Amino acid sequence: MRLPIFAAALLLTACGQSEAPTETVTAARPSAEETAAETARLNDWFEVKFEEQMQQSPLLMTFRGRKDRYTEVDDLSIEAADEQLEMARQAVAELETEFDYNKLTPEAKISYDIWKYQYEQAEAGVEFRRNNYVFEQMSSIHTLLVNFLINFHRVDEVADYDAYVARISGISRGIDQLLVQAKANAEAGVRPPRFAYEEVLKQSEALLTGAPFTEEGDAPLWSDAQRKLDALLDAEKIDAETKTRLLVETRNALADEFEPAYQRLIDFVAAELPKTAEIATGVGALPNGKAYYNYMLASSTTTDMTAEEVHQLGLDEVARIRKEMATLKDNVGFDGDLSEFFTFIREDEQFYFPNTDEGRQAYIDEAEAKLAFINEKLPDYFGLLPKADLVVKRVEPFREQDGAAQHYYPGTPDGSRPGIYYAHLSDMTAMPINQLEVIAYHEGNPGHHMQLSIAQELESVPTFRTQASFTAYVEGWGLYSELLAKEMGAYDDVYADFGRLTTEMWRAVRLVVDTGLHAKGWTEQEAIDFFVANTPEPLESIRSEVRRYIVMPGQATSYKVGMLKILALRAKAEAALGDAFDIRAFHDTVLGGGALPLAVLERRIDTWIDDVKTGA
């Protein structure tokens, strides 16, 4: 089972049933003592097994604030993946033979089921290794590893900096390991579209631009290395002579290992470019592509919805949201149809900050102000509140893309590093002001920062569940949070509320476009045209969004499916409990178990409803 490097990402029951396991019927009721003992034994076992998994990923440990194996980078080879999968296979076999499911508490049964589900998903994915886009513009290791060193490898002592230099070499090895896989995939006829490789080239070349590689300023890692050494010098952890020596070691690692590895990547991508598809389509056109997309769709939504069902759900949601948009258009007195209103929102200067450094800072300042407003409202809607801080930052230049989607990285469980809401601000004409508020709530509070921070801080579930990530749950919560913020008093400006509807429309359009691209043979341009017809998004943002869906099949469908499931569960609880329904308790139940497959989330809510009814 491959552990994710970044703890970085849905549905009405009528639309499909979850693939997650369901609870076994109890043959005989165990005693309370038996249940407590078996649950305690299982939870201890989970801690041991999860630590074994953690030790396979030095980067994940660093991401969680630990310094175990601090000089190392994960082994990214297929051989290592096979070893990790075998370890997971043996763990599941042990789980099934050593523990009595019927003697577990409801919460422990959920832990048992999730452990098995994660393994089964990883096992099912082995068939599709050759279908993966190893290098693409959105989330590939070639930029993530550098971002990791800059933002997540903490340097408090000289030994930490020595580890930093060692990890530069580790990155180089990782790039070479991934090149082996990319070449094998290409031989199998699987290459990303041309635009993806063009962006990979641009990103890789940016990492080799500037000292110590060229004379044009400082390269990102060289600049970061100097900042880290200056901090050690200021803290009197090193002297000037030691700084000079460490800089020489850094320069040697960058010149002798980092640069050659990235040059090999650049050479490979440049040679592959003429073989890539200039007119981009989805993965369904590639070898084994239809089966791969079905797997990715099931993995992203944690349901067994078909592509056709997801597509139709999207069309229905697009139609519904268009009606709400038309009502807001009329409320502001706009004289024209919805398409003309889209053009007005897209082009009028009042909806954008200046494309200057001052405009970029104004965007960050306004996002911080909106988050400060919503933070004051949180105690009225949640009992569980995050302890971790949140900061808003601009994406680093070497990986910044015009119009790309904002994103969030969680902090450490101990709070030593805050959660980070990143915004792409290179092109302010792709960052409408009327969407600023809703995106801040999605990425920050009550969205990803709140959900992921609370999950990491949980003490009532095994540690592995605090790190679990199911996209339908995580992104479904983020989208639900956008609507919840309205209930909490946000969007007092009509245009800001229209911005909220616009981002909800994105997610409805995604259902149509993602399935259109990967299951119905749509081209990139067909997807763009559908997006333009149904949202006021700037064209650059739309193009970036569609290209994201093309290289990340299925992921975009998770948002709306998850949101609809959470809304359905809330309606179910309100109907069942009446005056006894407590919004704070409902939200705490949703968030208090960490990320879950949607069917398991429903089990958890059903148990809570029963407990409220019986006074348990």
Side-chain angles (χ1 to χ4, degrees):
M1 187 186 311
R2 189 115 214 162
L3 289 174
I5 291 176
F6 297 113
L10 295 146
L11 181 57
L12 294 170
T13 303
C15 298
Q17 301 300 316
S18 171
E19 296 178 354
T22 56
E23 188 171 346
T24 302
V25 176
T26 303
R29 185 183 298 274
S31 68
E33 291 77 11
E34 288 175 318
T35 296
E38 190 73 347
T39 294
R41 194 167 70 88
L42 177 63
N43 286 339
D44 289 343
W45 183 88
F46 279 138
E47 295 306 310
V48 172
K49 294 301 179 182
F50 183 62
E51 179 60 24
E52 290 175 0
Q53 284 190 346
M54 286 285 291
Q55 288 295 330
Q56 300 303 307
S57 178
L59 297 182
L60 183 56
M61 287 190 285
T62 299
F63 191 70
R64 297 192 69 228
R66 295 171 55 174
K67 291 188 177 181
D68 307 48
R69 301 180 64 186
Y70 210 46
T71 63
E72 300 176 52
V73 169
D74 294 27
D75 187 336
L76 301 177
S77 67
I78 289 293
E79 292 76 16
D82 285 338
E83 290 176 6
Q84 291 168 20
L85 187 62
E86 179 58 30
M87 179 188 298
R89 186 180 294 116
Q90 292 175 7
V92 168
E94 185 176 332
L95 175 69
E96 293 178 326
T97 57
E98 295 296 321
F99 297 94
D100 187 339
Y101 188 87
N102 291 321
K103 290 183 178 179
L104 301 174
T105 64
E107 194 71 79
K109 288 177 180 178
I110 286 177
S111 299
Y112 184 110
D113 290 344
I114 291 174
W115 186 273
K116 282 187 62 177
Y117 181 73
Q118 289 179 322
Y119 159 69
E120 290 164 356
Q121 286 293 100
E123 182 72 63
V126 172
E127 176 187 349
F128 304 108
R129 282 176 175 171
R130 293 281 76 89
N131 291 90
N132 182 43
Y133 293 153
V134 180
F135 296 106
E136 34 85 359
Q137 81 281 9
M138 288 301 304
S139 57
S140 289
I141 295 296
H142 70 286
T143 55
L144 286 181
L145 287 175
V146 175
N147 178 44
F148 179 89
L149 266 188
I150 292 173
N151 290 302
F152 301 104
H153 182 102
R154 197 172 74 245
V155 172
D156 303 314
E157 306 290 343
V158 175
D160 299 337
Y161 191 83
D162 291 335
Y164 178 87
V165 176
R167 277 182 158 170
I168 292 175
S169 302
I171 288 176
S172 307
R173 184 199 66 186
I175 293 296
D176 284 335
Q177 289 174 330
L178 293 174
L179 274 171
V180 170
Q181 297 174 44
K183 291 173 182 177
N185 290 11
E187 290 173 2
V190 174
R191 297 178 178 88
R194 184 162 302 178
F195 68 74
Y197 269 175
E198 288 173 342
E199 192 63 36
V200 170
L201 274 180
K202 186 187 303 181
Q203 293 167 338
S204 300
E205 289 167 350
L207 292 171
L208 300 183
T209 299
F213 312 114
T214 69
E215 296 180 357
E216 307 162 25
D218 287 339
L221 275 179
W222 183 243
S223 178
D224 180 61
Q226 293 180 84
R227 283 194 299 271
K228 285 178 163 63
L229 286 174
D230 285 341
L232 288 179
L233 187 64
D234 291 343
E236 299 183 348
K237 299 291 182 69
I238 59 172
D239 54 26
E241 182 179 352
T242 301
K243 176 186 174 182
T244 299
R245 175 180 61 79
L246 292 173
L247 276 176
V248 170
E249 292 178 5
T250 307
R251 182 188 293 271
N252 290 341
L254 289 171
D256 297 343
E257 299 189 65
F258 185 87
E259 182 179 22
Y262 273 83
Q263 191 58 55
R264 287 190 288 274
L265 171 59
I266 289 169
D267 292 344
F268 166 74
V269 172
E272 286 288 296
L273 264 182
K275 306 172 189 176
T276 58
E278 189 169 4
I279 299 176
T281 57
V283 298
L286 299 174
N288 205 31
K290 291 183 179 179
Y292 174 56
Y293 182 59
N294 290 337
Y295 165 76
M296 294 301 291
L297 197 62
S299 179
S300 293
T301 66
T302 67
T303 76
D304 63 1
M305 288 183 77
T306 66
E308 190 60 45
E309 288 172 331
V310 173
H311 193 82
Q312 186 59 52
L313 177 63
L315 292 173
D316 294 344
E317 283 293 286
V318 166
R320 179 188 64 80
I321 297 168
R322 281 185 70 93
K323 291 179 182 178
E324 292 191 36
M325 286 179 151
T327 298
L328 287 186
K329 170 189 73 71
D330 294 341
N331 288 347
V332 297
F334 184 82
D335 185 17
D337 63 19
L338 193 56
S339 178
E340 291 170 323
F341 192 60
F342 286 167
T343 300
F344 167 65
I345 295 289
R346 194 179 290 132
E347 297 180 355
D348 196 287
E349 292 184 359
Q350 69 175 299
F351 298 113
Y352 300 93
F353 288 113
N355 200 21
T356 62
D357 287 344
E358 291 75 17
R360 295 177 180 92
Q361 187 59 50
Y363 189 98
I364 291 175
D365 291 344
E366 184 66 13
E368 290 174 338
K370 296 302 182 185
L371 288 168
F373 162 81
I374 211 71
N375 288 346
E376 294 295 319
K377 307 289 185 180
L378 293 177
D380 295 333
Y381 290 84
F382 300 89
L384 289 172
L385 295 171
K387 300 173 185 175
D389 291 332
L390 172 67
V391 298
V392 184
K393 290 179 65 173
R394 180 181 178 182
V395 173
E396 297 83 2
F398 70 88
R399 64 186 186 96
E400 192 169 41
Q401 302 174 49
D402 292 352
Q406 291 94 314
H407 54 283
Y408 171 79
Y409 281 142
T412 52
D414 65 3
S416 60
R417 186 187 69 245
I420 303 172
Y421 159 31
Y422 277 110
H424 291 265
L425 301 178
S426 51
D427 179 9
M428 297 305 294
T429 66
M431 301 294 287
I433 293 173
N434 74 315
Q435 293 175 24
L436 178 153
E437 188 171 0
V438 65
I439 294 172
Y441 301 145
H442 180 104
E443 303 296 345
N445 290 330
H448 288 327
H449 177 67
M450 185 159 187
Q451 181 264 308
L452 290 166
S453 297
I454 287 173
Q456 289 196 136
E457 295 162 7
L458 289 174
E459 297 180 354
S460 58
V461 297
T463 305
F464 86 91
R465 284 181 56 185
T466 72
Q467 300 300 305
S469 180
F470 299 99
T471 311
Y473 173 99
V474 173
E475 296 298 353
W477 175 262
L479 186 51
Y480 170 79
S481 296
E482 296 179 13
L483 181 59
L484 177 64
K486 182 176 175 64
E487 188 177 337
M488 296 168 73
Y491 318 116
D492 56 357
D493 175 76
V494 176
Y495 288 114
D497 200 24
F498 191 84
R500 177 191 62 80
L501 281 178
T502 298
T503 62
E504 187 177 0
M505 179 65 93
W506 286 359
R507 284 38 174 258
V509 166
R510 284 174 177 176
L511 299 177
V512 179
V513 167
D514 197 272
T515 51
L517 285 163
H518 299 294
K520 292 178 174 292
W522 287 17
T523 65
E524 177 187 358
Q525 190 57 52
E526 286 176 301
I528 289 172
D529 291 344
F530 186 86
F531 217 126
V532 168
N534 289 288
T535 79
E537 284 298 285
L539 183 58
E540 193 61 39
S541 293
I542 289 174
R543 182 176 290 108
S544 176
E545 282 284 302
V546 169
R547 290 182 169 184
R548 166 189 169 185
Y549 311 153
I550 291 173
V551 301
M552 300 175 68
Q555 191 269 351
T557 65
S558 58
Y559 297 70
K560 208 61 173 77
V561 176
M563 177 206 198
L564 291 174
K565 188 62 174 182
I566 294 171
L567 287 172
L569 292 176
R570 176 170 168 177
K572 180 181 184 179
E574 289 173 336
L577 298 177
D579 292 341
F581 177 80
D582 180 347
I583 190 62
R584 296 168 81 250
F586 172 77
H587 288 150
D588 288 357
T589 303
V590 173
L591 297 179
L596 303 169
L598 294 183
V600 179
L601 175 63
E602 184 160 12
R603 268 172 53 192
R604 184 175 171 82
I605 295 298
D606 287 345
T607 299
W608 171 69
I609 291 172
D610 290 342
D611 287 346
V612 174
K613 283 182 173 180
T614 60

mmCIF file of all heavy atoms in Angstrom, residues 131-146:
data_model
loop_
_atom_site.group_PDB
_atom_site.id
_atom_site.type_symbol
_atom_site.label_atom_id
_atom_site.label_comp_id
_atom_site.label_asym_id
_atom_site.label_seq_id
_atom_site.Cartn_x
_atom_site.Cartn_y
_atom_site.Cartn_z
ATOM 1 N N ASN A 131 -1.024 2.832 -16.728
ATOM 2 C CA ASN A 131 -1.941 3.882 -17.184
ATOM 3 C C ASN A 131 -1.664 5.225 -16.540
ATOM 4 O O ASN A 131 -2.234 6.242 -16.942
ATOM 5 C CB ASN A 131 -3.393 3.487 -16.888
ATOM 6 C CG ASN A 131 -3.867 2.338 -17.748
ATOM 7 O OD1 ASN A 131 -3.733 1.181 -17.374
ATOM 8 N ND2 ASN A 131 -4.401 2.638 -18.914
ATOM 9 N N ASN A 132 -0.809 5.243 -15.561
ATOM 10 C CA ASN A 132 -0.563 6.457 -14.796
ATOM 11 C C ASN A 132 0.285 7.457 -15.583
ATOM 12 O O ASN A 132 1.235 7.087 -16.263
ATOM 13 C CB ASN A 132 0.155 6.088 -13.495
ATOM 14 C CG ASN A 132 0.403 7.275 -12.619
ATOM 15 O OD1 ASN A 132 -0.457 8.122 -12.445
ATOM 16 N ND2 ASN A 132 1.599 7.341 -12.056
ATOM 17 N N TYR A 133 -0.071 8.739 -15.485
ATOM 18 C CA TYR A 133 0.786 9.805 -16.017
ATOM 19 C C TYR A 133 1.832 10.130 -14.951
ATOM 20 O O TYR A 133 1.530 10.793 -13.961
ATOM 21 C CB TYR A 133 -0.018 11.057 -16.343
ATOM 22 C CG TYR A 133 -1.004 10.909 -17.485
ATOM 23 C CD1 TYR A 133 -2.149 11.696 -17.534
ATOM 24 C CD2 TYR A 133 -0.783 10.007 -18.528
ATOM 25 C CE1 TYR A 133 -3.059 11.585 -18.587
ATOM 26 C CE2 TYR A 133 -1.686 9.887 -19.574
ATOM 27 C CZ TYR A 133 -2.824 10.679 -19.597
ATOM 28 O OH TYR A 133 -3.712 10.568 -20.632
ATOM 29 N N VAL A 134 3.043 9.672 -15.147
ATOM 30 C CA VAL A 134 4.072 9.823 -14.120
ATOM 31 C C VAL A 134 4.463 11.287 -13.947
ATOM 32 O O VAL A 134 4.625 11.783 -12.825
ATOM 33 C CB VAL A 134 5.304 8.969 -14.463
ATOM 34 C CG1 VAL A 134 6.387 9.126 -13.401
ATOM 35 C CG2 VAL A 134 4.908 7.499 -14.601
ATOM 36 N N PHE A 135 4.615 11.983 -15.061
ATOM 37 C CA PHE A 135 4.959 13.410 -15.012
ATOM 38 C C PHE A 135 3.850 14.199 -15.702
ATOM 39 O O PHE A 135 3.527 13.947 -16.862
ATOM 40 C CB PHE A 135 6.298 13.671 -15.715
ATOM 41 C CG PHE A 135 7.473 13.012 -15.060
ATOM 42 C CD1 PHE A 135 8.073 11.898 -15.622
ATOM 43 C CD2 PHE A 135 7.978 13.495 -13.866
ATOM 44 C CE1 PHE A 135 9.157 11.279 -15.020
ATOM 45 C CE2 PHE A 135 9.059 12.891 -13.245
ATOM 46 C CZ PHE A 135 9.649 11.776 -13.817
ATOM 47 N N GLU A 136 3.253 15.121 -14.974
ATOM 48 C CA GLU A 136 2.241 16.023 -15.532
ATOM 49 C C GLU A 136 2.336 17.355 -14.795
ATOM 50 O O GLU A 136 3.132 17.503 -13.871
ATOM 51 C CB GLU A 136 0.838 15.410 -15.468
ATOM 52 C CG GLU A 136 0.559 14.538 -14.271
ATOM 53 C CD GLU A 136 0.112 15.308 -13.039
ATOM 54 O OE1 GLU A 136 0.039 16.549 -13.095
ATOM 55 O OE2 GLU A 136 -0.151 14.668 -12.015
ATOM 56 N N GLN A 137 1.502 18.300 -15.192
ATOM 57 C CA GLN A 137 1.686 19.677 -14.734
ATOM 58 C C GLN A 137 1.095 19.981 -13.373
ATOM 59 O O GLN A 137 1.384 21.020 -12.782
ATOM 60 C CB GLN A 137 1.079 20.648 -15.770
ATOM 61 C CG GLN A 137 -0.434 20.845 -15.698
ATOM 62 C CD GLN A 137 -1.242 19.723 -16.326
ATOM 63 O OE1 GLN A 137 -0.717 18.684 -16.689
ATOM 64 N NE2 GLN A 137 -2.538 19.949 -16.470
ATOM 65 N N MET A 138 0.266 19.072 -12.831
ATOM 66 C CA MET A 138 -0.494 19.413 -11.638
ATOM 67 C C MET A 138 0.171 18.987 -10.334
ATOM 68 O O MET A 138 0.353 19.802 -9.426
ATOM 69 C CB MET A 138 -1.890 18.777 -11.719
ATOM 70 C CG MET A 138 -2.809 19.418 -12.730
ATOM 71 S SD MET A 138 -3.097 21.177 -12.428
ATOM 72 C CE MET A 138 -3.704 21.154 -10.751
ATOM 73 N N SER A 139 0.486 17.713 -10.211
ATOM 74 C CA SER A 139 0.871 17.189 -8.899
ATOM 75 C C SER A 139 2.022 16.204 -8.956
ATOM 76 O O SER A 139 2.152 15.352 -8.084
ATOM 77 C CB SER A 139 -0.339 16.488 -8.256
ATOM 78 O OG SER A 139 -0.820 15.452 -9.101
ATOM 79 N N SER A 140 2.854 16.316 -9.964
ATOM 80 C CA SER A 140 3.932 15.344 -10.120
ATOM 81 C C SER A 140 5.071 15.596 -9.136
ATOM 82 O O SER A 140 5.273 16.712 -8.652
ATOM 83 C CB SER A 140 4.476 15.379 -11.549
ATOM 84 O OG SER A 140 3.544 14.823 -12.440
ATOM 85 N N ILE A 141 5.823 14.540 -8.916
ATOM 86 C CA ILE A 141 6.899 14.560 -7.934
ATOM 87 C C ILE A 141 7.995 15.560 -8.303
ATOM 88 O O ILE A 141 8.670 16.101 -7.425
ATOM 89 C CB ILE A 141 7.499 13.144 -7.793
ATOM 90 C CG1 ILE A 141 6.442 12.196 -7.205
ATOM 91 C CG2 ILE A 141 8.741 13.147 -6.929
ATOM 92 C CD1 ILE A 141 6.012 12.541 -5.805
ATOM 93 N N HIS A 142 8.183 15.840 -9.594
ATOM 94 C CA HIS A 142 9.300 16.706 -9.979
ATOM 95 C C HIS A 142 9.182 18.102 -9.371
ATOM 96 O O HIS A 142 10.199 18.756 -9.120
ATOM 97 C CB HIS A 142 9.422 16.783 -11.508
ATOM 98 C CG HIS A 142 8.325 17.523 -12.182
ATOM 99 N ND1 HIS A 142 7.057 17.009 -12.325
ATOM 100 C CD2 HIS A 142 8.303 18.750 -12.769
ATOM 101 C CE1 HIS A 142 6.304 17.875 -12.970
ATOM 102 N NE2 HIS A 142 7.028 18.942 -13.238
ATOM 103 N N THR A 143 7.967 18.580 -9.118
ATOM 104 C CA THR A 143 7.806 19.861 -8.418
ATOM 105 C C THR A 143 7.499 19.649 -6.934
ATOM 106 O O THR A 143 7.936 20.440 -6.094
ATOM 107 C CB THR A 143 6.698 20.712 -9.043
ATOM 108 O OG1 THR A 143 5.476 19.955 -9.081
ATOM 109 C CG2 THR A 143 7.073 21.141 -10.444
ATOM 110 N N LEU A 144 6.780 18.580 -6.611
ATOM 111 C CA LEU A 144 6.402 18.363 -5.218
ATOM 112 C C LEU A 144 7.615 18.142 -4.320
ATOM 113 O O LEU A 144 7.645 18.609 -3.180
ATOM 114 C CB LEU A 144 5.462 17.162 -5.112
ATOM 115 C CG LEU A 144 4.022 17.377 -5.596
ATOM 116 C CD1 LEU A 144 3.215 16.111 -5.411
ATOM 117 C CD2 LEU A 144 3.366 18.532 -4.863
ATOM 118 N N LEU A 145 8.631 17.434 -4.830
ATOM 119 C CA LEU A 145 9.810 17.185 -4.010
ATOM 120 C C LEU A 145 10.561 18.469 -3.689
ATOM 121 O O LEU A 145 11.061 18.650 -2.577
ATOM 122 C CB LEU A 145 10.731 16.183 -4.705
ATOM 123 C CG LEU A 145 10.251 14.724 -4.714
ATOM 124 C CD1 LEU A 145 11.199 13.859 -5.539
ATOM 125 C CD2 LEU A 145 10.129 14.180 -3.297
ATOM 126 N N VAL A 146 10.645 19.342 -4.661
ATOM 127 C CA VAL A 146 11.320 20.626 -4.421
ATOM 128 C C VAL A 146 10.501 21.474 -3.453
ATOM 129 O O VAL A 146 11.038 22.081 -2.508
ATOM 130 C CB VAL A 146 11.568 21.361 -5.749
ATOM 131 C CG1 VAL A 146 12.165 22.742 -5.495
ATOM 132 C CG2 VAL A 146 12.492 20.543 -6.642
#
